[in-house]
Amino acid sequence: MNEIERATTIVSLQKLSARLETLRHLEIADLQLPGQQKRYEQTLEDAYAALAQVETALDKLGQELDYQHQRLGEVRDQRTGG
């Protein structure tokens, strides 16, 4: 993961946290006010989009970690003859 990808992931995680905080403070009664339903839906969509970006980045990091584990394991196996 390069610096740009890392920065983008951090921003997505911050965005997810901020959207969740907004949703936590939203009162159910507020949804009955004009325009609030749309605001809630947009906030929810933004949160899911940010979550998807974070999940993609974590999957990529997990794949990298698996690759490094395999690579180092092969070297270890060669050294121990096994």
Side-chain angles (χ1 to χ4, degrees):
M1 178 178 284
N2 64 38
E3 284 299 316
I4 292 172
E5 291 171 322
R6 190 177 352 269
T8 301
T9 300
I10 291 168
V11 168
S12 293
L13 186 55
Q14 290 170 331
K15 186 175 186 178
L16 173 59
S17 293
R19 298 306 180 269
L20 285 172
E21 189 65 22
T22 298
L23 292 169
R24 275 188 210 102
H25 289 96
L26 186 64
E27 298 291 331
I28 299 300
D30 292 341
L31 292 176
Q32 297 173 354
L33 298 173
Q36 289 301 311
Q37 180 79 30
K38 185 151 183 81
R39 179 175 169 242
Y40 164 78
E41 290 171 355
Q42 185 61 54
T43 302
L44 200 57
E45 287 177 23
D46 289 349
Y48 274 114
L51 176 62
Q53 291 172 341
V54 170
E55 287 176 332
T56 299
L58 288 176
D59 286 344
K60 188 174 180 179
L61 287 170
Q63 290 170 1
E64 175 68 18
L65 181 59
D66 288 343
Y67 167 76
Q68 295 301 334
H69 184 194
Q70 178 184 3
R71 184 176 72 89
L72 294 173
E74 288 172 359
V75 170
R76 185 196 63 225
D77 291 347
Q78 289 174 357
R79 289 184 71 204
T80 60

